[in-house]
Amino acid sequence: MRRLFVLPTSRAGWGLLLAFIVLVLAGTWPVIGLINQAALVYGLPLMIVWSYVIIFSCVGVMLVGNRLVERDGHE
């Protein structure tokens, strides 16, 4: 029987999984409810800045993950 999920085998893999889970949780409603305030950061609403932080952080985590996969020689 095939496994439904593939778990990381290295410390770096577990760290990336944890980082991605934290980023997903940072974009859910309880955290957004805390961030959704009438404040401006560099002229942008705080909610928009938070969204940009999450999006660019996800891209960064995925880039690091791709670099680790290329370094290890996996396909």
Side-chain angles (χ1 to χ4, degrees):
M1 186 171 150
R2 296 179 71 190
R3 294 178 73 177
L4 185 60
F5 296 104
V6 177
L7 296 176
T9 57
S10 67
R11 263 186 135 170
W14 282 106
L16 285 170
L17 178 64
L18 179 65
F20 193 73
I21 289 172
V22 166
L23 285 170
V24 168
L25 292 176
T28 59
W29 176 246
V31 177
I32 290 175
L34 295 172
I35 300 298
N36 192 11
Q37 299 175 8
L40 294 177
V41 178
Y42 297 114
L44 294 171
L46 184 59
M47 187 71 162
I48 299 297
V49 174
W50 184 250
S51 299
Y52 286 157
V53 167
I54 290 175
I55 289 168
F56 290 125
S57 297
C58 283
V59 169
V61 168
M62 287 186 240
L63 284 173
V64 170
N66 284 337
R67 297 287 167 109
L68 287 176
V69 168
E70 288 175 359
R71 185 185 71 189
D72 292 340
H74 293 105
E75 291 186 18

